[in-house]
Amino acid sequence: MPRTAIVALAMALLPAVAAAQQKIGALPDGYPRKPVRVLVGSPAGSGSDVMMRTVAQKLTERMGQSVIVDNRPGATGGIALQLAAQAVPDGYTLATLSAQNVTAMLLGTVTTNIPKELTPVVLMISQPYLLVVTPSLPANSVKELIALAKAKPLVYASSGTGSVVHLGMELFKSMAGVEMTHIPYKGSGLSMIDVMSGRVQLAITNTLTATPLVRGGKLKALAITSSERVQAFHDLPTVAEAGVPGYELRSWYGLLAPNKTPAPLLAQLNREVSQTMNAPEVKEKLAADGAEAAAPNTPAQFRDVIAREIAKWDKLIRAGVIKPQ
């Protein structure tokens, strides 16, 4: 389906799907009666993986059944999303969704039509990214990085072609007036291995993946991509204040279910996950890594988030502000 059709569909489906879900099915008696599988479209150590494993442990305690994280990396999350779209809509197969899956869909890397083939359950977290470099790179600020990039070729890593961090770095290049070569990986965890080793020089990556590596001295953080500084990195400037005015990039993670999942089941899953995300110990763990649990939200509100994200990135791609490779 053409990208313009996806954008139109995302906006058009908002009221129709919400209304239809109110009429579908009833809550299965005694749910859950067996383990619940959550498909994660990135490898162990990625932001989605770290977040979901933290939440899965608490969900297991709340629901009385194991919540199992099933990593299915590839195609910028597309493999996991396709499996979820094809699963039985009985609440026992779910999938994580990140902002980068949406951008990858707009660029054709993810072939699943997210607004049409999957149903939102709940928005879980939002977070900024970190601009990180290999420790040996002779740049200790954004301005020094820009000067270095103008003087010699640099290579940056991303968690996949079409991912938010890929487009975010392309936006950085455009706004900073520099050129860099892109190398995509199958997830942020894998990309960080080569940034740490120096095979590639830099990346924009999520705080959940990068925080322990930065604190362990394995990566050097130059700036954070939010519009304001965050408590977890209170000494770290934003990209905007450090040399690229107006730059901002945030990400989010949520949970999806196959289409035709009964509305009462979606409501129960939404309630269980929302209460888990807002448990003090979970919020504390996420905050330590620079992430924030989303405020309680409904499936319809999460659908709004997805639709707005599709419209935002589609506008930038169509305007040529972002020129993905």
Side-chain angles (χ1 to χ4, degrees):
M1 180 180 288
R3 189 173 71 237
T4 53
I6 291 174
V7 177
L9 177 65
M11 304 306 292
L13 281 177
L14 293 178
V17 173
Q21 285 176 346
Q22 299 304 315
K23 303 176 182 178
I24 298 174
L27 188 65
D29 185 35
Y31 174 86
R33 293 182 175 274
K34 61 182 181 180
V36 175
R37 177 176 65 146
V38 181
L39 295 159
V40 174
S42 54
S46 64
S48 295
D49 176 77
V50 172
M51 178 273 300
M52 198 62 237
R53 289 184 187 277
T54 298
V55 176
Q57 181 179 354
K58 289 297 179 181
L59 274 177
T60 295
E61 297 172 6
R62 285 186 59 87
M63 298 174 71
Q65 286 285 353
S66 296
V67 177
I68 301 168
V69 174
D70 184 357
N71 297 88
R72 297 297 181 98
T76 319
I79 293 174
L81 292 173
Q82 184 177 41
L83 288 172
Q86 296 169 346
V88 176
D90 58 3
Y92 291 103
T93 301
L94 306 171
T96 58
L97 180 73
S98 68
Q100 73 171 14
N101 302 143
V102 170
T103 57
M105 177 189 66
L106 293 173
L107 295 169
T109 308
V110 169
T111 58
T112 301
N113 188 316
I114 295 167
K116 184 177 181 180
E117 299 180 54
L118 291 159
T119 297
V121 176
V122 63
L123 176 65
M124 300 170 73
I125 71 171
S126 66
Q127 63 176 136
Y129 292 100
L130 290 176
L131 174 61
V132 298
V133 300
T134 191
S136 61
L137 195 73
N140 295 302
S141 70
V142 171
K143 289 183 178 179
E144 289 179 0
L145 175 65
I146 292 172
L148 188 63
K150 290 180 177 179
K152 70 174 189 177
L154 294 180
V155 179
Y156 78 88
S158 81
S159 54
T161 299
S163 63
V164 170
V165 292
H166 172 206
L167 301 191
M169 186 60 84
E170 291 297 309
L171 184 60
F172 177 87
K173 286 169 50 181
S174 174
M175 295 178 71
V178 297
E179 291 295 329
M180 301 179 195
T181 300
H182 172 225
I183 297 182
Y185 291 77
K186 292 183 178 180
S188 56
L190 296 175
S191 68
M192 289 304 98
I193 292 173
D194 277 1
V195 180
M196 287 187 288
S197 71
R199 182 173 181 269
V200 294
Q201 285 81 52
L202 70 155
I204 291 174
T205 191
N206 64 78
T207 57
L208 290 170
T209 298
T211 296
L213 302 176
V214 170
R215 290 177 177 162
K218 297 178 181 179
L219 290 174
K220 184 164 54 176
L222 300 187
I224 196 155
T225 66
S226 51
S227 59
E228 298 179 351
R229 298 193 185 199
V230 299
Q231 183 58 38
F233 294 95
H234 56 88
D235 292 330
L236 200 63
T238 68
V239 173
E241 67 179 306
V244 188
Y247 186 91
E248 181 181 5
L249 189 70
R250 289 189 69 88
S251 187
W252 47 263
Y253 297 104
L255 202 62
L256 299 175
N259 265 359
K260 299 185 179 179
T261 298
L265 187 48
L266 289 175
Q268 179 175 339
L269 285 165
N270 178 283
R271 182 171 56 254
E272 296 287 356
V273 176
S274 293
Q275 291 178 0
T276 297
M277 295 303 302
N278 284 278
E281 60 271 30
V282 173
K283 293 182 72 171
E284 183 177 335
K285 172 67 169 62
L286 293 172
D289 291 334
E292 300 175 354
N297 59 96
T298 65
Q301 288 172 324
F302 184 26
R303 185 176 293 279
D304 287 345
V305 170
I306 296 169
R308 289 195 300 270
E309 195 79 358
I310 289 172
K312 177 185 75 174
W313 287 110
D314 181 70
K315 181 179 179 180
L316 290 174
I317 293 168
R318 287 165 59 86
V321 174
I322 295 170
K323 299 177 178 65
Q325 298 164 346

